Amino acid sequence: ENSPKFYFESCEYEDDFLFIHFLQKIILNPLDKTNLNELLYRWEEILEGDSSGYFDVCRGLLTNDSFEFEKSFSSFISYRDQQIVEYKKEPLHDSNLIAAEGYLSVEGIGILNIAKWLGLEIKRTYRMIPEDLISTMETGTSGYLNWKVMKQS
């Protein structure tokens, strides 16, 4: 609610801002489809026809369709894999970053938590997501988005 409403052109890319902004908005008010669609429309404009796994997965969250979400999440993971491959080609890449980011998607874990909270069915296994984390989502022991329930009390 107190997060910035606009991106800071001097220090961030607008598509990076829209990714986080969209996730915040869908958590705070998942029924506000108009505002969420406006964010996606703006994001699509910035992409200028380029693909983005981040955009795809946010659109997938908004569909309320488990099958569409699965396709978009797969696109997100593939997109992330490609980013890692490209980063490895850079002469000054950080091998520690690759070790941390190349095998685990923290963003993916968060997105799956949001999907589960929205009522979407999630699979038992995903590339770059530890299976034991998915099982805690299924049993409700991970505490995903419990802060929102507590806040409304």
Side-chain angles (χ1 to χ4, degrees):
E1 294 170 20
N2 295 327
S3 64
K5 308 288 184 266
F6 304 98
Y7 84 107
F8 295 101
E9 190 173 350
S10 62
C11 62
E12 68 184 334
Y13 296 110
E14 190 172 1
D15 57 334
D16 291 340
F17 166 80
L18 287 171
F19 174 60
I20 299 303
H21 194 60
F22 180 91
L23 294 177
Q24 290 171 340
K25 292 291 184 185
I26 201 166
I27 290 169
L28 292 172
N29 192 355
L31 300 177
D32 187 2
K33 304 289 187 192
T34 301
N35 189 19
L36 292 166
N37 276 311
E38 286 173 2
L39 290 174
L40 289 178
Y41 178 75
R42 173 62 190 146
W43 197 348
E44 201 165 29
E45 284 180 332
I46 313 173
L47 288 173
E48 297 178 336
D50 289 341
S51 64
S52 165
Y54 294 95
F55 173 82
D56 292 344
V57 80
C58 287
R59 186 175 48 202
L61 285 169
L62 192 57
T63 65
N64 288 333
D65 180 304
S66 296
F67 179 74
E68 287 300 317
F69 173 73
E70 286 296 329
K71 287 190 337 188
S72 70
F73 193 76
S74 177
S75 171
F76 165 77
I77 293 296
S78 295
Y79 185 79
R80 187 71 187 119
D81 281 344
Q82 187 57 39
Q83 287 180 316
I84 297 292
V85 167
E86 293 301 316
Y87 179 68
K88 284 180 182 179
K89 293 177 184 175
E90 293 182 18
L92 299 176
H93 71 269
D94 181 349
S95 58
N96 290 323
L97 179 69
I98 293 169
E101 298 274 335
Y103 305 99
L104 173 73
S105 174
V106 174
E107 292 167 332
I109 293 166
I111 290 165
L112 287 178
N113 271 300
I114 294 169
K116 181 74 174 166
W117 179 74
L118 291 170
L120 296 167
E121 294 293 322
I122 59 173
K123 293 189 315 188
R124 189 94 172 106
T125 59
Y126 293 94
R127 202 167 75 258
M128 299 181 76
I129 309 292
E131 192 171 324
D132 58 336
L133 285 176
I134 294 172
S135 65
T136 61
M137 289 179 209
E138 292 171 351
T139 62
T141 57
S142 68
Y144 63 94
L145 297 178
N146 283 343
W147 64 269
K148 186 161 174 62
V149 174
M150 291 170 34
K151 184 178 174 187
Q152 291 175 347
S153 300

